[in-house]
Amino acid sequence: MKRVAVLLASGFEEAEAIVTIDILRRLDIDVDTLACAESRAVVSYHNLPMVTDYTLTGQQESLYDAVVLPGGPQGSMNLAVNPQVIAFITRHDAAGKLICPICSAAARVLGGSGLLKGRRYVCSGDLYETVTDGVYVDAPVVEDGNLLSGKGLGHIFDFALALSARLLGDDKPVRDHAAHIYYPW
């Protein structure tokens, strides 16, 4: 079974996280939510409290098939300044695992740490103007090797379904599920 880590820092965009987690779990993909803080309790961008499955510290040595980085202005900044987050992403990227930033996370976390490595990506707004090590593409979802990025909340179903198809290696169950939830994918 494929395993996904969703990294949550204080201020994360809750809908980007929850929709992605929901779609992955509906397709029987194992998802661990990891708090990038000392405790498992984190508060979202719109002040919704959430208790994660684990802390990042407790799972630092685990290797997942994909690492999802929800955006949120404060959430992505908190991810970007956390050395454990950068080390976790770097290790997964080096192992060829999927790195999956959403919204501001591509520019702030990956771009801000030199982790885009010339790959094509998408992010929200004009944040791409601050990135020097990647190639910005204006699209809902952009895939380049093991980097799968999503533009933002308005395209989160496309992102979650594309990630699911990559992980499953088959888009038929994903398309069936999209039809089940009345989403034209």
Side-chain angles (χ1 to χ4, degrees), residues 100-161:
C100 308
I102 308 166
C103 198
S104 58
R108 289 195 175 126
V109 182
L110 301 184
S113 299
L115 297 175
L116 287 171
K117 301 177 184 171
R119 292 177 284 195
R120 297 177 315 113
Y121 73 98
V122 66
C123 67
S124 60
D126 60 1
L127 291 173
Y128 68 91
E129 293 176 358
T130 65
V131 176
T132 59
D133 74 329
V135 178
Y136 176 77
V137 176
D138 187 11
V141 178
V142 175
E143 296 184 53
D144 190 345
N146 68 321
L147 179 66
L148 189 149
S149 54
K151 188 166 191 168
L153 178 57
H155 300 288
I156 198 60
F157 280 95
D158 294 312
F159 172 85
L161 294 166

Side-chain angles (χ1 to χ4, degrees), residues 47-121:
N47 296 315
L48 294 173
M50 183 170 170
V51 177
T52 63
D53 299 313
Y54 305 99
T55 63
L56 176 60
T57 300
Q59 295 297 104
Q60 190 66 37
E61 298 306 314
S62 296
L63 193 62
Y64 292 86
D65 297 294
V67 178
V68 174
L69 308 160
Q74 192 61 47
S76 61
M77 286 191 276
N78 287 334
L79 290 173
V81 299
N82 185 326
Q84 284 189 317
V85 168
I86 303 308
F88 192 77
I89 295 166
T90 300
R91 189 165 59 81
H92 281 80
D93 194 20
K97 304 302 182 182
L98 287 172
I99 306 301
C100 308
I102 308 166
C103 198
S104 58
R108 289 195 175 126
V109 182
L110 301 184
S113 299
L115 297 175
L116 287 171
K117 301 177 184 171
R119 292 177 284 195
R120 297 177 315 113
Y121 73 98

Side-chain angles (χ1 to χ4, degrees), residues 5-45:
V6 178
L7 305 188
L8 302 177
S10 179
F12 70 94
E13 192 352 286
E14 56 274 287
E16 291 173 0
I18 297 302
V19 169
T20 302
I21 293 164
D22 179 277
I23 295 296
L24 292 169
R25 287 184 175 169
R26 284 173 185 255
L27 288 160
D28 294 321
I29 296 168
D30 188 27
V31 178
D32 287 346
T33 55
L34 308 182
C36 302
E38 291 182 22
S39 78
R40 292 176 38 221
V42 291
V43 177
S44 75
Y45 182 47

